[in-house]
Amino acid sequence: MRGIIWIVLAVVAATAVYFAVSDKGPQAPGQSTPGESVTAADSVSATEPTIGLIDDARINNAASEPGNWLAYGRTYEEQRFSPLTQVNKDNVGELGLAWFKDMGTNRAQEATPIVVDGIMFFTTTWSRVHAVNATTGETLWSYDPAVPREWGRRACCDVVNRGVAVYKGRVYVGSLDGRLIALDAASGERIWEIDTIIDRDRYYTITGAPRVANGKVFIGNGGAEFGVRGYVTAYDADTGDQVWRFFTVPGDPSLPFEHPEMEQAAKTWKGGNWWEIGGGGTVWNSIVYDPDFNNLYIGVGNGSPWTRAIRSPGGGDNLFLSSIVALDADTGVMNWYYQTTPGDNWDYTAVQDMALADMEVDGEMTKVLLQAPKNGFFYVIDRSNGKLLRANPYATVNWATHIDLETGRPVENKEFDYLEKEKWVLPGPLGAHNWQAMSVDVDAGLVYLPAQDNPLIYGMNKEWKKTGVYKRNPGRFNLGLEFGGIAQLFVDNIADQPTPKGYLKAFDPLTGEDRWVVEIPHYWNGGVLGTTGGLVFQGDALGMFTAYDKETGETLWQFNTYTSMLAPPITFQIDGVQYVSILTGNGGGDLFSGEAMDPVAMPASSIYGNYGRLLVFKLGGLETLPEPLVRDTTIPEQILADVSKEELGRGEKLYHDFCAPCHGLIARSAGSIPDLRLMNEGTHQIFNQIVLEGLLKGNGMASFDDALVADDVERIHNYVRVRAHEDREYSLGNKEAPQLTWLN
Ligand code: CA
């Protein structure tokens, strides 16, 4: 079988040269949109599958193929725990780089590769797909869906993609601009493409990996921050025809319910005009198929707007926000749901990776679902009926005191309610755990979990407080809280609040105890892989790719990548050699780190650069990375205009409403998107053309002429200049502390 596969591959590889996109170098400013990299027929008849021949039976038995990584979370159970043992506690010190590949991007990389029969399929930025020889890195084919670059402005959390699904000779990918595309696994040729978006005027995006089962492809979307209504759709894997669609929140009450579950949900939304703002509930990450019950579990996101007082002023749980919903995989009919955060008020999505397991709970073998959503509690749920079995805190939590196991509901802590007065809340909107995958070690009864303590100040939207009216702003964040005012957090109350920190925890989901904890100075770290070899692998913000002893948390091996990592590692074995691989590159949803206050927490991507690379390791690997260069982060001297504090305050608010979602709070970039304080005078001269004429559209910096006028751009520009000046003076020791905010 493998012989035939490789003959086919050789032919494919020879012809792939013509189609391959350049993998070299980061995108230059102003680079034009790349064209299609393959012959793009709208409809090509399905060819006989030649490689990537994965079907339901094979994924069902993925455990019997430890050398492959057949699905997003390795198997349908998505435990991300590999039975491979060649690389183990005793010899991991000999692990070395086998090869690496520069992916031609300096933006975040989040993908989990799929490895099947010697080929690795993975995605990089702008939803580009690559198929490479998994032992050498040689490109077999690449596919670029040519996402229009203005989508860079329409994505809350960078132009990322978390991966493909491979099924019956096809590769499925969701594009940032909302298309679901089926490619021929052998050639990368597009077979079909469908538009999954119900309203192109809203900023819907896809960053998640599709899942496949029972001849269907399942995909959701993101966009709740901008104001959209969430849903998940099942498509026929062969034809792309829609099979079913499940909305997660009710729509316009004057229109009929799309399905009976929406009638049930609508009773929990009271007052307000959530359907105009969007409602939220996007399913942007976790979708898990359960062959035991033929269920499809979807992890539902936060409300839109975030604040429930605006979204649903009459109260109510606002189903199915922040819920795990079990749907019949064939019909999309709901079997059960469990809501982690009724009446979500904090961006507490339940989209984080879900894993399935058979575990002994209270003396009985139980089929459980495990999830650590943003809200800080680790849920163990009986997947036969949705009953809550455990909900222990896995990080510091102050929004609720505990989860009542009788009612299944959180008991909110009134002291941290922010309706009247701004409050620090833990976890903040990045969650105590985000999409960075955990690994489940069923034999040890442990979960290896990337967690964080990372608070944010929440305060109600000022306009709403004054007038009682909240108006949707098309094309920008619609949170219902004072995003501009968040700048205040850099000057107020700091002393009372914990320093943001990251953790890798070996956590017992049944008892809530930590077996061991590794503290990481920066909070925004990578996903996790555990192995029977006794190892836990994780890449972190500081640039270290580390193998920990899974029993003690002791560091057994480290490799300095000189850049930051978010993506989860995977492992596979080909021709008797075990490989461990990880994609590098920082960014994603982290807009809050700015420049780390404490130098020990400075991300490697800020010090050396943000390098989008695929790294593959094996025992005895001898490859080395290019010598790292330290970035020049000297803030240039500024030419300051004579502007009033009021004008700077207006500029500050505009900056945070329009620019901060990518360029970072108080004009300090989180590292992957250009830091505006570092602009040289030449760039300052063309600031208006960049913002209003789309001069750097090719990078995703599309024109804001639909939302901003020249006077506003000048205000933003003055604010950035003053912030740069303040930080420069501080760094030179000419000033004790920068002023940071002009808002009152
Ligand atoms: Ca969100």
Side-chain angles (χ1 to χ4, degrees):
M1 185 63 184
R2 175 162 286 165
I4 296 166
I5 287 162
W6 283 109
I7 292 163
V8 173
L9 261 186
V11 176
V12 170
T15 54
V17 177
Y18 170 74
F19 300 123
V21 295
S22 168
D23 279 333
K24 297 290 172 213
Q27 273 172 269
Q31 185 181 317
S32 63
T33 303
E36 300 275 345
S37 61
V38 300
T39 313
D42 282 321
S43 177
V44 176
S45 64
T47 50
E48 201 56 25
T50 47
I51 61 165
L53 183 65
I54 307 177
D55 55 15
D56 300 281
R58 205 169 159 196
I59 309 181
N60 260 323
N61 290 311
S64 67
E65 296 187 44
N68 284 320
W69 190 283
L70 294 182
Y72 184 73
R74 199 178 81 85
T75 67
Y76 275 141
E77 293 178 309
E78 303 215 0
Q79 293 173 357
R80 289 179 181 269
F81 189 89
S82 168
L84 294 179
T85 57
Q86 183 179 89
V87 179
N88 57 51
K89 268 157 80 154
D90 297 328
N91 62 17
V92 68
E94 294 157 37
L95 197 62
L97 191 61
W99 54 268
F100 73 94
K101 205 169 173 63
D102 223 316
M103 299 318 304
T105 179
N106 53 10
R107 307 280 285 263
Q109 297 212 86
E110 300 187 349
T112 298
I114 304 281
V115 176
V116 51
D117 303 335
I119 304 163
M120 179 189 282
F121 301 93
F122 65 100
T123 56
T124 61
T125 46
W126 299 106
S127 329
R128 291 175 288 196
V129 186
H130 299 276
V132 303
N133 179 321
T135 58
T136 65
E138 179 205 358
T139 296
L140 305 174
W141 54 259
S142 298
Y143 176 82
D144 186 340
V147 172
R149 288 317 192 238
E150 59 264 31
W151 247 262
R153 225 194 97 186
R154 298 182 178 194
C156 77
C157 305
D158 215 341
V159 296
V160 295
N161 188 281
R162 281 182 293 282
V164 297
V166 181
Y167 186 67
K168 295 185 179 174
R170 301 221 178 133
V171 175
Y172 299 90
V173 64
S175 69
L176 190 69
D177 57 336
R179 291 169 284 152
L180 180 68
I181 303 164
L183 305 172
D184 184 303
S187 66
E189 189 179 346
R190 189 176 67 180
I191 294 167
W192 54 253
E193 169 182 309
I194 44 109
D195 185 358
T196 73
I197 302 304
I198 56 171
D199 181 355
R200 285 251 155 224
D201 291 335
R202 300 271 176 156
Y203 286 6
Y204 279 101
T205 48
I206 297 179
T207 58
R211 304 300 203 281
V212 288
N214 290 1
K216 287 176 271 298
V217 193
F218 309 101
I219 192 76
N221 48 55
E225 272 60 54
F226 288 100
V228 302
R229 180 187 182 198
Y231 56 92
V232 169
T233 315
Y235 297 95
D236 184 299
D238 194 32
T239 62
D241 292 337
Q242 183 174 322
V243 181
W244 54 257
R245 173 167 287 158
F246 183 89
F247 285 95
T248 57
V249 298
D252 185 340
S254 70
L255 299 173
F257 297 113
E258 290 87 351
H259 43 86
E261 295 87 348
M262 283 300 94
E263 188 170 3
Q264 178 184 356
K267 292 178 183 137
T268 66
W269 293 67
K270 295 168 187 172
N273 58 338
W274 73 86
W275 67 95
E276 285 167 11
I277 299 165
T282 49
V283 180
W284 55 262
N285 187 49
S286 191
I287 298 174
V288 176
Y289 175 67
D290 181 352
D292 288 336
F293 299 98
N294 199 37
N295 273 341
L296 189 77
Y297 306 112
I298 61 170
V300 184
N302 57 279
S304 171
W306 285 2
T307 49
R308 60 188 172 202
I310 294 175
R311 192 177 66 236
S312 182
D317 288 348
N318 294 182
L319 292 172
F320 295 96
L321 293 180
S322 308
S323 300
I324 296 161
V325 183
L327 306 174
D328 181 295
D330 293 326
T331 63
V333 171
M334 185 170 77
N335 287 330
W336 55 259
Y337 73 92
Y338 175 77
Q339 189 173 37
T340 63
T341 312
D344 169 45
N345 206 22
W346 308 269
D347 188 20
Y348 285 164
T349 67
V351 307
Q352 281 53 52
D353 283 22
M354 295 177 273
L356 314 182
D358 292 2
M359 287 173 83
E360 191 176 315
V361 184
D362 303 326
E364 256 182 69
M365 277 311 282
T366 312
K367 293 193 177 299
V368 297
L369 181 152
L370 306 169
Q371 193 195 43
K374 278 186 184 178
N375 76 10
F377 293 96
F378 195 107
Y379 294 84
V380 181
I381 292 168
D382 183 336
R383 55 190 153 99
S384 71
N385 55 18
K387 186 180 179 317
L388 179 66
L389 302 172
R390 294 287 191 282
N392 291 301
Y394 64 86
T396 316
V397 171
N398 74 2
W399 70 277
T401 58
H402 65 289
I403 308 295
D404 182 331
L405 286 184
E406 286 302 310
T407 62
R409 298 176 68 88
V411 179
E412 289 187 19
N413 188 347
K414 295 281 174 269
E415 199 188 320
F416 289 91
D417 186 295
Y418 66 86
L419 184 65
E420 300 298 330
K421 190 180 179 319
E422 292 82 357
K423 291 282 168 63
W424 282 91
V425 181
L426 264 169
L430 282 179
H433 169 230
N434 209 304
W435 62 269
Q436 291 95 327
M438 61 189 185
S439 170
V440 179
D441 184 348
V442 175
D443 288 341
L446 294 173
V447 175
Y448 308 111
L449 179 67
Q452 56 174 323
D453 284 334
N454 190 11
L456 185 79
I457 198 162
Y458 288 74
M460 293 300 296
N461 176 268
K462 282 185 181 159
E463 193 61 29
W464 175 83
K465 269 185 136 171
K466 233 186 287 172
T467 65
V469 177
Y470 181 79
K471 203 171 155 292
R472 181 176 88 95
N473 292 297
R476 51 197 259 215
F477 276 15
N478 287 276
L479 308 182
L481 51 74
E482 204 55 47
F483 207 56
I486 288 172
Q488 204 71 28
L489 73 89
F490 289 89
V491 286
D492 285 348
N493 297 326
I494 291 273
D496 305 336
Q497 300 312 316
T499 308
K501 273 204 176 67
Y503 306 93
L504 175 63
K505 295 189 172 191
F507 178 82
D508 183 328
L510 296 182
T511 65
E513 281 162 18
D514 294 326
R515 184 72 54 87
W516 50 259
V517 179
V518 173
E519 191 176 301
I520 306 168
H522 199 284
Y523 55 84
W524 197 235
N525 302 300
V528 176
L529 164 74
T531 74
T532 304
L535 302 169
V536 176
F537 289 93
Q538 185 192 29
D540 65 30
L542 307 191
M544 303 313 284
F545 183 38
T546 305
Y548 299 95
D549 183 327
K550 85 180 182 71
E551 275 153 37
T552 63
E554 185 194 346
T555 295
L556 298 178
W557 170 85
Q558 278 196 315
F559 180 90
N560 196 341
T561 68
Y562 296 101
T563 196
S564 305
M565 285 156 283
L566 302 174
I570 64 156
T571 186
F572 53 95
Q573 188 159 312
I574 297 172
D575 295 334
V577 180
Q578 184 183 350
Y579 298 87
V580 180
S581 98
I582 188 167
L583 283 155
T584 66
N586 195 12
D590 177 25
L591 321 167
F592 301 95
S593 70
E595 194 173 86
M597 298 289 176
D598 183 346
V600 303
M602 191 70 87
S605 54
S606 296
I607 300 172
Y608 304 106
N610 203 29
Y611 293 107
R613 289 181 178 138
L614 171 66
L615 309 183
V616 179
F617 299 85
K618 66 175 181 183
L619 293 175
L622 293 172
E623 183 62 272
T624 53
L625 291 176
E627 201 65 30
L629 298 171
V630 174
R631 279 167 95 167
D632 181 4
T633 52
T634 313
I635 300 171
E637 205 166 336
Q638 300 294 317
I639 300 167
L640 296 177
D642 185 17
V643 279
S644 67
K645 282 189 175 179
E646 288 69 30
E647 277 295 285
L648 283 175
R650 291 174 76 179
E652 181 181 357
K653 177 148 175 35
L654 287 162
Y655 172 87
H656 284 92
D657 283 349
F658 291 96
C659 317
C662 293
H663 291 283
L665 298 176
I666 59 167
R668 287 175 177 173
S669 165
S672 60
I673 308 286
D675 191 310
L676 300 183
R677 298 169 306 160
L678 303 182
M679 286 188 296
N680 59 32
E681 272 313 310
T683 310
H684 278 292
Q685 295 309 317
I686 54 170
F687 192 84
N688 271 39
Q689 283 105 300
I690 294 170
V691 180
L692 292 176
E693 293 169 25
L695 211 59
L696 297 182
K697 184 184 164 201
N699 290 357
M701 176 59 202
S703 165
F704 279 80
D705 68 350
D706 57 331
L708 292 168
V709 296
D711 284 352
D712 288 339
V713 177
E714 197 182 333
R715 289 183 182 105
I716 291 169
H717 197 176
N718 284 330
Y719 167 72
V720 170
R721 287 269 206 190
V722 169
R723 280 291 313 111
H725 174 73
E726 291 273 338
D727 283 352
R728 177 185 157 84
E729 290 297 299
Y730 180 60
S731 68
L732 294 174
N734 296 340
K735 214 168 178 290
E736 256 181 29
Q739 185 170 333
L740 299 180
T741 176
W742 283 264
L743 293 171
N744 46 45

